[in-house]
């Protein structure tokens, strides 16, 4: 039996831990943040009960690259280490600590979309397809060899909320699909073709401002791209108030409360006024 380690502090990671057991695997060592860290992080969970239920050794540390984490990986002779839903960047020493490597999941079809803000960018770019990629970490950013991918079809009405859910489901499906091969030493990896690679930059809440002098098509797409669980698209009304728009649709006729653009009107369905 391969000795699996897991690093996470969010619900998505815990769901993937559960998926490992559903697929016939076991976890030897789990690492998470200390209890007082990232209390307000989206999806923050505590994995103590899961580890106790499955007799998994649990280490809490302020950073994944701390010496005690490296020592634990070596002491428990971890073969594969999963890092899911984790914002700290793994060091070269950590990447080289497990016997066979470190595995991560990126929410695009690598080598497309290396970098940040994968869900908003997939919508903003009007893609017909996106997905998730399980890959072996190296010292680059999302550049390691691909283990497996799952595709997600995009449609004209895809919003961040729905895509976020689909991406999370695909994480779990990917884990269940790969674990049996991982346990049998039957994993084949495919080097990424750098000539096909693209890098997507990070986004800030300020990038969600609607251009009232632009296209209604672009505005509607932006609203879908940064709705929940993201901060939302916004504009300032004639009172100077910040209006966060969570859902809207394009209209050819102007109705009361619509935003007017050069090429159409935007009917706001759900919004909040930020005081």
């Amino acid at each position: 039996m391969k000795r699996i380690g897991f690093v996470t502090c969010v619900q998505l990671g815990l769901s993937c831990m559960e998926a490992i057991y559903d697929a016939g695997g076991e976890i030897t060592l789990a690492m998470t943040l200390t209890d007082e860290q990232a209390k307000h992080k989206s999806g923050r969970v505590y994995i103590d009960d899961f580890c106790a239920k499955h007799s998994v050794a649990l280490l809490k540390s302020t950073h994944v690259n701390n010496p005690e984490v490296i020592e634990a990986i070596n002491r428990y002779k971890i073969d594969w280490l999963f890092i899911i839903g984790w914002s700290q960047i793994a060091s070269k020493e950590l990447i080289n600590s497990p016997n066979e490597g470190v595995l991560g999941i990126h929410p695009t079809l690598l080598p497309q979309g290396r970098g940040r803000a994968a869900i908003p960018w997939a919508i903003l770019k009007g893609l017909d397809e996106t997905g998730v990629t399980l890959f072996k970490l190296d010292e680059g950013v999302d550049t390691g060899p691909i283990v497996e991918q799952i595709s997600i079809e995009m449609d004209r009405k895809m919003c961040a909320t729905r895509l976020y859910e689909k991406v999370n489901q695909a994480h779990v499906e990917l884990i269940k699909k790969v674990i049996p091969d991982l346990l049998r030493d039957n994993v084949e990896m495919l080097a990424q073709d750098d000539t096909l690679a693209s890098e997507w930059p990070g986004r800030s809440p300020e990038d969600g401002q609607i251009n009232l002098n632009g296209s209604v098509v672009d505005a509607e797409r932006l609203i879908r791209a940064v709705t929940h669980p993201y901060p939302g698209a916004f504009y300032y009304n004639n009172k100077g108030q910040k209006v966060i728009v969570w859902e809207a649709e394009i209209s050819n006729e102007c109705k009361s409360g619509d935003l007017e653009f050069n090429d159409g009107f935007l009917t706001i369905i759900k919004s909040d006024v930020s005081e």
Side-chain angles (χ1 to χ4, degrees):
M1 178 71 76
K2 292 292 181 181
R3 299 175 72 84
I4 295 173
F6 208 102
V7 177
T8 195
C9 64
V10 296
Q11 179 58 51
L12 175 58
L14 179 56
S15 297
C16 289
M17 292 173 75
E18 293 168 344
I20 289 175
Y21 281 82
D22 291 341
E26 296 178 359
I27 298 172
T28 301
L29 171 69
M31 181 258 166
T32 191
L33 294 174
T34 60
D35 288 352
E36 63 272 14
Q37 282 181 278
K39 288 184 176 180
H40 303 295
K41 180 179 176 69
S42 178
R44 175 71 156 106
V45 296
Y46 298 88
I47 59 175
D48 305 60
D49 290 346
F50 177 92
C51 291
K53 176 182 177 181
H54 294 284
S55 300
V56 177
L58 175 60
L59 172 64
K60 298 182 181 182
S61 182
T62 57
H63 202 288
V64 72
N65 296 328
N66 284 346
E68 65 268 20
V69 180
I70 307 294
E71 188 276 331
I73 291 170
N74 293 327
R75 175 158 45 92
Y76 284 96
K77 300 178 180 177
I78 298 302
D79 295 308
W80 289 106
L81 179 69
F82 285 89
I83 301 181
I84 306 292
W86 195 261
S87 58
Q88 298 169 349
I89 298 174
S91 66
K92 180 179 179 180
E93 185 179 13
L94 179 75
I95 290 171
N96 292 334
S97 292
N99 296 327
E100 302 196 43
V102 178
L103 298 173
I105 297 180
H106 185 68
T108 71
L109 294 175
L110 292 173
Q112 181 186 51
R114 294 172 178 172
R116 307 288 298 278
I119 290 174
W121 278 123
I123 296 171
L124 288 170
K125 291 175 179 294
L127 299 184
D128 295 324
E129 180 185 52
T130 186
V132 294
T133 302
L134 178 68
F135 68 106
K136 185 178 180 181
L137 270 65
D138 59 16
E139 293 181 65
V141 178
D142 305 324
T143 55
I146 293 170
V147 178
E148 186 62 83
Q149 295 181 316
I150 290 180
S151 298
I152 298 172
E153 290 187 9
M154 303 277 285
D155 60 50
R156 172 63 184 77
K157 294 296 184 181
M158 182 67 76
C159 68
T161 308
R162 187 153 62 95
L163 183 53
Y164 190 89
E165 293 172 352
K166 286 181 175 291
V167 164
N168 285 2
Q169 292 167 4
H171 273 68
V172 173
E173 291 174 20
L174 203 50
I175 292 290
K176 290 181 179 179
K177 185 176 182 180
V178 167
I179 284 297
D181 287 337
L182 209 67
L183 298 178
R184 292 194 299 265
D185 261 336
N186 192 31
V187 174
E188 296 183 4
M189 299 191 189
L190 179 66
Q192 294 189 39
D193 184 347
D194 289 340
T195 65
L196 301 176
S198 59
E199 296 185 9
W200 296 348
R203 294 181 59 83
S204 68
E206 290 72 26
D207 293 323
Q209 183 163 6
I210 297 169
N211 180 7
L212 298 177
N213 296 316
S215 167
V216 69
V217 174
D218 292 340
E220 189 270 343
R221 182 177 290 171
L222 176 63
I223 291 164
R224 288 189 287 112
V226 297
T227 190
H228 300 295
Y230 301 106
F234 66 93
Y235 70 97
Y236 292 95
N237 64 20
N238 54 17
K239 297 180 181 179
Q241 297 171 308
K242 182 179 181 180
V243 181
I244 303 173
V245 183
W246 302 110
E247 184 180 354
E249 63 183 13
I250 295 174
S251 174
N252 293 322
E253 298 180 3
C254 184
K255 299 183 288 294
S256 176
D258 281 4
L259 294 181
E260 183 175 355
F261 295 80
N262 293 330
D263 55 348
F265 305 94
L266 195 66
T267 299
I268 298 173
I269 298 173
K270 292 180 182 178
S271 66
D272 293 315
V273 176
S274 178
E275 299 296 342

